[in-house]
PDB file of all heavy atoms in Angstrom:
ATOM      1  N   GLY A   1       0.953 -11.008 -15.499  1.00  0.00           N
ATOM      2  CA  GLY A   1       0.980 -10.275 -14.231  1.00  0.00           C
ATOM      3  C   GLY A   1      -0.118 -10.732 -13.289  1.00  0.00           C
ATOM      4  O   GLY A   1      -1.038 -11.426 -13.698  1.00  0.00           O
ATOM      5  N   TYR A   2      -0.024 -10.402 -12.063  1.00  0.00           N
ATOM      6  CA  TYR A   2       0.892  -9.450 -11.480  1.00  0.00           C
ATOM      7  C   TYR A   2       2.317  -9.984 -11.419  1.00  0.00           C
ATOM      8  O   TYR A   2       2.556 -11.188 -11.331  1.00  0.00           O
ATOM      9  CB  TYR A   2       0.430  -9.056 -10.089  1.00  0.00           C
ATOM     10  CG  TYR A   2      -0.901  -8.305 -10.088  1.00  0.00           C
ATOM     11  CD1 TYR A   2      -1.825  -8.513  -9.074  1.00  0.00           C
ATOM     12  CD2 TYR A   2      -1.236  -7.410 -11.103  1.00  0.00           C
ATOM     13  CE1 TYR A   2      -3.039  -7.828  -9.061  1.00  0.00           C
ATOM     14  CE2 TYR A   2      -2.445  -6.720 -11.102  1.00  0.00           C
ATOM     15  CZ  TYR A   2      -3.346  -6.931 -10.069  1.00  0.00           C
ATOM     16  OH  TYR A   2      -4.541  -6.272 -10.070  1.00  0.00           O
ATOM     17  N   GLY A   3       3.266  -9.035 -11.407  1.00  0.00           N
ATOM     18  CA  GLY A   3       4.670  -9.363 -11.339  1.00  0.00           C
ATOM     19  C   GLY A   3       5.188  -9.321  -9.912  1.00  0.00           C
ATOM     20  O   GLY A   3       4.459  -9.606  -8.961  1.00  0.00           O
ATOM     21  N   PRO A   4       6.461  -8.937  -9.706  1.00  0.00           N
ATOM     22  CA  PRO A   4       7.069  -8.965  -8.379  1.00  0.00           C
ATOM     23  C   PRO A   4       6.439  -7.989  -7.386  1.00  0.00           C
ATOM     24  O   PRO A   4       5.869  -6.969  -7.760  1.00  0.00           O
ATOM     25  CB  PRO A   4       8.529  -8.574  -8.656  1.00  0.00           C
ATOM     26  CG  PRO A   4       8.748  -8.960 -10.087  1.00  0.00           C
ATOM     27  CD  PRO A   4       7.453  -8.682 -10.773  1.00  0.00           C
ATOM     28  N   ARG A   5       6.597  -8.317  -6.108  1.00  0.00           N
ATOM     29  CA  ARG A   5       6.075  -7.483  -5.019  1.00  0.00           C
ATOM     30  C   ARG A   5       7.036  -6.333  -4.736  1.00  0.00           C
ATOM     31  O   ARG A   5       8.256  -6.509  -4.746  1.00  0.00           O
ATOM     32  CB  ARG A   5       5.895  -8.349  -3.767  1.00  0.00           C
ATOM     33  CG  ARG A   5       5.167  -7.661  -2.624  1.00  0.00           C
ATOM     34  CD  ARG A   5       4.878  -8.623  -1.486  1.00  0.00           C
ATOM     35  NE  ARG A   5       6.082  -9.187  -0.911  1.00  0.00           N
ATOM     36  CZ  ARG A   5       6.245  -9.466   0.389  1.00  0.00           C
ATOM     37  NH1 ARG A   5       5.264  -9.213   1.244  1.00  0.00           N
ATOM     38  NH2 ARG A   5       7.362 -10.002   0.815  1.00  0.00           N
ATOM     39  N   GLN A   6       6.466  -5.149  -4.450  1.00  0.00           N
ATOM     40  CA  GLN A   6       7.264  -3.947  -4.228  1.00  0.00           C
ATOM     41  C   GLN A   6       6.724  -3.152  -3.046  1.00  0.00           C
ATOM     42  O   GLN A   6       5.555  -3.309  -2.657  1.00  0.00           O
ATOM     43  CB  GLN A   6       7.212  -3.061  -5.477  1.00  0.00           C
ATOM     44  CG  GLN A   6       7.772  -3.717  -6.706  1.00  0.00           C
ATOM     45  CD  GLN A   6       7.366  -2.985  -7.965  1.00  0.00           C
ATOM     46  OE1 GLN A   6       6.322  -2.355  -8.040  1.00  0.00           O
ATOM     47  NE2 GLN A   6       8.201  -3.071  -8.982  1.00  0.00           N
ATOM     48  N   PRO A   7       7.545  -2.263  -2.487  1.00  0.00           N
ATOM     49  CA  PRO A   7       7.036  -1.374  -1.427  1.00  0.00           C
ATOM     50  C   PRO A   7       5.990  -0.405  -1.962  1.00  0.00           C
ATOM     51  O   PRO A   7       6.049   0.013  -3.119  1.00  0.00           O
ATOM     52  CB  PRO A   7       8.291  -0.608  -0.969  1.00  0.00           C
ATOM     53  CG  PRO A   7       9.445  -1.432  -1.427  1.00  0.00           C
ATOM     54  CD  PRO A   7       8.993  -2.082  -2.703  1.00  0.00           C
ATOM     55  N   LEU A   8       5.050  -0.045  -1.114  1.00  0.00           N
ATOM     56  CA  LEU A   8       4.060   0.985  -1.408  1.00  0.00           C
ATOM     57  C   LEU A   8       3.710   1.661  -0.094  1.00  0.00           C
ATOM     58  O   LEU A   8       3.308   0.981   0.858  1.00  0.00           O
ATOM     59  CB  LEU A   8       2.801   0.378  -2.042  1.00  0.00           C
ATOM     60  CG  LEU A   8       1.662   1.364  -2.331  1.00  0.00           C
ATOM     61  CD1 LEU A   8       2.008   2.239  -3.538  1.00  0.00           C
ATOM     62  CD2 LEU A   8       0.350   0.627  -2.582  1.00  0.00           C
ATOM     63  N   LEU A   9       3.886   2.975  -0.007  1.00  0.00           N
ATOM     64  CA  LEU A   9       3.590   3.725   1.203  1.00  0.00           C
ATOM     65  C   LEU A   9       2.701   4.907   0.884  1.00  0.00           C
ATOM     66  O   LEU A   9       2.810   5.496  -0.201  1.00  0.00           O
ATOM     67  CB  LEU A   9       4.874   4.237   1.875  1.00  0.00           C
ATOM     68  CG  LEU A   9       5.821   3.186   2.456  1.00  0.00           C
ATOM     69  CD1 LEU A   9       6.858   2.769   1.414  1.00  0.00           C
ATOM     70  CD2 LEU A   9       6.527   3.710   3.706  1.00  0.00           C
ATOM     71  N   VAL A  10       1.823   5.253   1.814  1.00  0.00           N
ATOM     72  CA  VAL A  10       0.989   6.444   1.728  1.00  0.00           C
ATOM     73  C   VAL A  10       1.302   7.336   2.919  1.00  0.00           C
ATOM     74  O   VAL A  10       1.222   6.887   4.073  1.00  0.00           O
ATOM     75  CB  VAL A  10      -0.508   6.103   1.701  1.00  0.00           C
ATOM     76  CG1 VAL A  10      -1.348   7.364   1.854  1.00  0.00           C
ATOM     77  CG2 VAL A  10      -0.867   5.382   0.411  1.00  0.00           C
ATOM     78  N   ILE A  11       1.679   8.578   2.653  1.00  0.00           N
ATOM     79  CA  ILE A  11       2.064   9.540   3.685  1.00  0.00           C
ATOM     80  C   ILE A  11       1.138  10.739   3.545  1.00  0.00           C
ATOM     81  O   ILE A  11       1.124  11.405   2.510  1.00  0.00           O
ATOM     82  CB  ILE A  11       3.541   9.945   3.513  1.00  0.00           C
ATOM     83  CG1 ILE A  11       4.434   8.704   3.638  1.00  0.00           C
ATOM     84  CG2 ILE A  11       3.947  11.009   4.525  1.00  0.00           C
ATOM     85  CD1 ILE A  11       5.830   8.898   3.131  1.00  0.00           C
ATOM     86  N   SER A  12       0.355  10.994   4.573  1.00  0.00           N
ATOM     87  CA  SER A  12      -0.690  12.014   4.460  1.00  0.00           C
ATOM     88  C   SER A  12      -1.294  12.268   5.832  1.00  0.00           C
ATOM     89  O   SER A  12      -1.260  11.393   6.709  1.00  0.00           O
ATOM     90  CB  SER A  12      -1.792  11.516   3.512  1.00  0.00           C
ATOM     91  OG  SER A  12      -2.918  12.371   3.515  1.00  0.00           O
ATOM     92  N   PRO A  13      -1.868  13.457   6.059  1.00  0.00           N
ATOM     93  CA  PRO A  13      -2.657  13.649   7.276  1.00  0.00           C
ATOM     94  C   PRO A  13      -3.808  12.654   7.376  1.00  0.00           C
ATOM     95  O   PRO A  13      -4.330  12.423   8.469  1.00  0.00           O
ATOM     96  CB  PRO A  13      -3.192  15.082   7.130  1.00  0.00           C
ATOM     97  CG  PRO A  13      -2.244  15.755   6.207  1.00  0.00           C
ATOM     98  CD  PRO A  13      -1.798  14.687   5.252  1.00  0.00           C
ATOM     99  N   PHE A  14      -4.189  12.062   6.246  1.00  0.00           N
ATOM    100  CA  PHE A  14      -5.306  11.113   6.224  1.00  0.00           C
ATOM    101  C   PHE A  14      -4.857   9.658   6.168  1.00  0.00           C
ATOM    102  O   PHE A  14      -5.690   8.759   6.084  1.00  0.00           O
ATOM    103  CB  PHE A  14      -6.225  11.416   5.039  1.00  0.00           C
ATOM    104  CG  PHE A  14      -6.855  12.774   5.104  1.00  0.00           C
ATOM    105  CD1 PHE A  14      -6.343  13.821   4.346  1.00  0.00           C
ATOM    106  CD2 PHE A  14      -7.935  13.037   5.930  1.00  0.00           C
ATOM    107  CE1 PHE A  14      -6.909  15.091   4.398  1.00  0.00           C
ATOM    108  CE2 PHE A  14      -8.505  14.298   5.993  1.00  0.00           C
ATOM    109  CZ  PHE A  14      -7.997  15.325   5.228  1.00  0.00           C
ATOM    110  N   ALA A  15      -3.548   9.398   6.194  1.00  0.00           N
ATOM    111  CA  ALA A  15      -3.066   8.018   6.189  1.00  0.00           C
ATOM    112  C   ALA A  15      -3.283   7.386   7.558  1.00  0.00           C
ATOM    113  O   ALA A  15      -3.122   8.030   8.596  1.00  0.00           O
ATOM    114  CB  ALA A  15      -1.585   7.982   5.827  1.00  0.00           C
ATOM    115  N   LYS A  16      -3.649   6.112   7.568  1.00  0.00           N
ATOM    116  CA  LYS A  16      -3.722   5.397   8.832  1.00  0.00           C
ATOM    117  C   LYS A  16      -2.331   5.330   9.443  1.00  0.00           C
ATOM    118  O   LYS A  16      -1.332   5.238   8.735  1.00  0.00           O
ATOM    119  CB  LYS A  16      -4.287   3.993   8.612  1.00  0.00           C
ATOM    120  CG  LYS A  16      -5.749   3.976   8.188  1.00  0.00           C
ATOM    121  CD  LYS A  16      -6.252   2.558   7.956  1.00  0.00           C
ATOM    122  CE  LYS A  16      -7.713   2.555   7.531  1.00  0.00           C
ATOM    123  NZ  LYS A  16      -8.211   1.188   7.228  1.00  0.00           N
ATOM    124  N   GLU A  17      -2.270   5.377  10.753  1.00  0.00           N
ATOM    125  CA  GLU A  17      -0.982   5.456  11.447  1.00  0.00           C
ATOM    126  C   GLU A  17      -0.483   4.068  11.837  1.00  0.00           C
ATOM    127  O   GLU A  17      -1.232   3.256  12.387  1.00  0.00           O
ATOM    128  CB  GLU A  17      -1.106   6.329  12.699  1.00  0.00           C
ATOM    129  CG  GLU A  17       0.228   6.607  13.361  1.00  0.00           C
ATOM    130  CD  GLU A  17       0.122   7.651  14.468  1.00  0.00           C
ATOM    131  OE1 GLU A  17      -1.008   8.106  14.741  1.00  0.00           O
ATOM    132  OE2 GLU A  17       1.170   8.014  15.042  1.00  0.00           O
ATOM    133  N   ASN A  18       0.806   3.811  11.499  1.00  0.00           N
ATOM    134  CA  ASN A  18       1.435   2.526  11.833  1.00  0.00           C
ATOM    135  C   ASN A  18       0.560   1.372  11.352  1.00  0.00           C
ATOM    136  O   ASN A  18       0.252   0.434  12.086  1.00  0.00           O
ATOM    137  CB  ASN A  18       1.695   2.414  13.328  1.00  0.00           C
ATOM    138  CG  ASN A  18       2.696   1.318  13.665  1.00  0.00           C
ATOM    139  OD1 ASN A  18       3.362   0.776  12.778  1.00  0.00           O
ATOM    140  ND2 ASN A  18       2.800   0.982  14.944  1.00  0.00           N
ATOM    141  N   PHE A  19       0.184   1.447  10.077  1.00  0.00           N
ATOM    142  CA  PHE A  19      -0.782   0.505   9.510  1.00  0.00           C
ATOM    143  C   PHE A  19      -0.155  -0.247   8.351  1.00  0.00           C
ATOM    144  O   PHE A  19       0.567   0.323   7.533  1.00  0.00           O
ATOM    145  CB  PHE A  19      -2.022   1.265   9.015  1.00  0.00           C
ATOM    146  CG  PHE A  19      -3.045   0.401   8.332  1.00  0.00           C
ATOM    147  CD1 PHE A  19      -3.892  -0.412   9.068  1.00  0.00           C
ATOM    148  CD2 PHE A  19      -3.150   0.394   6.948  1.00  0.00           C
ATOM    149  CE1 PHE A  19      -4.834  -1.214   8.436  1.00  0.00           C
ATOM    150  CE2 PHE A  19      -4.091  -0.403   6.304  1.00  0.00           C
ATOM    151  CZ  PHE A  19      -4.933  -1.215   7.062  1.00  0.00           C
ATOM    152  N   VAL A  20      -0.408  -1.549   8.290  1.00  0.00           N
ATOM    153  CA  VAL A  20       0.035  -2.378   7.175  1.00  0.00           C
ATOM    154  C   VAL A  20      -1.189  -2.923   6.456  1.00  0.00           C
ATOM    155  O   VAL A  20      -2.023  -3.614   7.057  1.00  0.00           O
ATOM    156  CB  VAL A  20       0.931  -3.540   7.650  1.00  0.00           C
ATOM    157  CG1 VAL A  20       1.311  -4.432   6.462  1.00  0.00           C
ATOM    158  CG2 VAL A  20       2.188  -3.013   8.324  1.00  0.00           C
ATOM    159  N   ASP A  21      -1.285  -2.578   5.191  1.00  0.00           N
ATOM    160  CA  ASP A  21      -2.402  -3.035   4.371  1.00  0.00           C
ATOM    161  C   ASP A  21      -2.023  -4.357   3.705  1.00  0.00           C
ATOM    162  O   ASP A  21      -1.001  -4.454   3.046  1.00  0.00           O
ATOM    163  CB  ASP A  21      -2.715  -1.980   3.306  1.00  0.00           C
ATOM    164  CG  ASP A  21      -3.896  -2.361   2.431  1.00  0.00           C
ATOM    165  OD1 ASP A  21      -4.754  -3.136   2.909  1.00  0.00           O
ATOM    166  OD2 ASP A  21      -3.968  -1.886   1.282  1.00  0.00           O
ATOM    167  N   HIS A  22      -2.868  -5.373   3.898  1.00  0.00           N
ATOM    168  CA  HIS A  22      -2.615  -6.683   3.306  1.00  0.00           C
ATOM    169  C   HIS A  22      -3.464  -6.941   2.063  1.00  0.00           C
ATOM    170  O   HIS A  22      -3.355  -8.015   1.465  1.00  0.00           O
ATOM    171  CB  HIS A  22      -2.886  -7.791   4.329  1.00  0.00           C
ATOM    172  CG  HIS A  22      -2.122  -7.641   5.612  1.00  0.00           C
ATOM    173  ND1 HIS A  22      -0.747  -7.584   5.665  1.00  0.00           N
ATOM    174  CD2 HIS A  22      -2.555  -7.531   6.887  1.00  0.00           C
ATOM    175  CE1 HIS A  22      -0.359  -7.450   6.929  1.00  0.00           C
ATOM    176  NE2 HIS A  22      -1.437  -7.404   7.689  1.00  0.00           N
ATOM    177  N   SER A  23      -4.317  -5.990   1.682  1.00  0.00           N
ATOM    178  CA  SER A  23      -5.140  -6.196   0.496  1.00  0.00           C
ATOM    179  C   SER A  23      -4.283  -6.098  -0.762  1.00  0.00           C
ATOM    180  O   SER A  23      -3.251  -5.433  -0.781  1.00  0.00           O
ATOM    181  CB  SER A  23      -6.283  -5.184   0.451  1.00  0.00           C
ATOM    182  OG  SER A  23      -5.793  -3.861   0.364  1.00  0.00           O
ATOM    183  N   VAL A  24      -4.705  -6.776  -1.821  1.00  0.00           N
ATOM    184  CA  VAL A  24      -3.916  -6.847  -3.057  1.00  0.00           C
ATOM    185  C   VAL A  24      -4.068  -5.556  -3.859  1.00  0.00           C
ATOM    186  O   VAL A  24      -5.186  -5.130  -4.165  1.00  0.00           O
ATOM    187  CB  VAL A  24      -4.348  -8.046  -3.917  1.00  0.00           C
ATOM    188  CG1 VAL A  24      -3.582  -8.056  -5.242  1.00  0.00           C
ATOM    189  CG2 VAL A  24      -4.116  -9.351  -3.171  1.00  0.00           C
ATOM    190  N   THR A  25      -2.933  -4.936  -4.167  1.00  0.00           N
ATOM    191  CA  THR A  25      -2.908  -3.772  -5.050  1.00  0.00           C
ATOM    192  C   THR A  25      -1.775  -3.933  -6.065  1.00  0.00           C
ATOM    193  O   THR A  25      -0.936  -4.837  -5.937  1.00  0.00           O
ATOM    194  CB  THR A  25      -2.725  -2.456  -4.269  1.00  0.00           C
ATOM    195  OG1 THR A  25      -1.532  -2.552  -3.474  1.00  0.00           O
ATOM    196  CG2 THR A  25      -3.920  -2.183  -3.360  1.00  0.00           C
ATOM    197  N   ASP A  26      -1.754  -3.063  -7.054  1.00  0.00           N
ATOM    198  CA  ASP A  26      -0.681  -3.079  -8.040  1.00  0.00           C
ATOM    199  C   ASP A  26      -0.425  -1.647  -8.483  1.00  0.00           C
ATOM    200  O   ASP A  26      -1.050  -0.708  -7.972  1.00  0.00           O
ATOM    201  CB  ASP A  26      -1.036  -3.982  -9.222  1.00  0.00           C
ATOM    202  CG  ASP A  26      -2.068  -3.361 -10.145  1.00  0.00           C
ATOM    203  OD1 ASP A  26      -3.213  -3.142  -9.709  1.00  0.00           O
ATOM    204  OD2 ASP A  26      -1.739  -3.081 -11.309  1.00  0.00           O
ATOM    205  N   GLN A  27       0.496  -1.471  -9.424  1.00  0.00           N
ATOM    206  CA  GLN A  27       0.839  -0.118  -9.867  1.00  0.00           C
ATOM    207  C   GLN A  27      -0.379   0.639 -10.383  1.00  0.00           C
ATOM    208  O   GLN A  27      -0.523   1.842 -10.154  1.00  0.00           O
ATOM    209  CB  GLN A  27       1.918  -0.200 -10.950  1.00  0.00           C
ATOM    210  CG  GLN A  27       3.278  -0.614 -10.413  1.00  0.00           C
ATOM    211  CD  GLN A  27       4.204  -1.157 -11.480  1.00  0.00           C
ATOM    212  OE1 GLN A  27       3.761  -1.750 -12.459  1.00  0.00           O
ATOM    213  NE2 GLN A  27       5.502  -0.964 -11.291  1.00  0.00           N
ATOM    214  N   SER A  28      -1.289  -0.061 -11.049  1.00  0.00           N
ATOM    215  CA  SER A  28      -2.463   0.616 -11.584  1.00  0.00           C
ATOM    216  C   SER A  28      -3.486   0.959 -10.511  1.00  0.00           C
ATOM    217  O   SER A  28      -4.470   1.655 -10.803  1.00  0.00           O
ATOM    218  CB  SER A  28      -3.111  -0.218 -12.697  1.00  0.00           C
ATOM    219  OG  SER A  28      -3.728  -1.378 -12.188  1.00  0.00           O
ATOM    220  N   SER A  29      -3.267   0.525  -9.268  1.00  0.00           N
ATOM    221  CA  SER A  29      -4.135   0.972  -8.172  1.00  0.00           C
ATOM    222  C   SER A  29      -3.973   2.474  -7.933  1.00  0.00           C
ATOM    223  O   SER A  29      -4.920   3.149  -7.519  1.00  0.00           O
ATOM    224  CB  SER A  29      -3.812   0.204  -6.889  1.00  0.00           C
ATOM    225  OG  SER A  29      -4.135  -1.165  -7.020  1.00  0.00           O
TER     226      SER A  29
END
């Protein structure tokens, strides 16, 4: 691993708005 790329979204009053994170994360993040 890491394996295939997948969607990941954060929905919250504290989420950045209309933001795309390019940093590397995985399921264990």
Side-chain angles (χ1 to χ4, degrees):
Y2 295 143
R5 189 173 61 144
Q6 299 164 331
L8 177 74
L9 293 91
V10 170
I11 300 164
S12 171
F14 298 101
K16 293 179 180 177
E17 188 171 3
N18 197 12
F19 176 77
V20 177
D21 182 26
H22 305 302
S23 62
V24 176
T25 56
D26 74 296
Q27 289 160 329
S28 70
S29 294

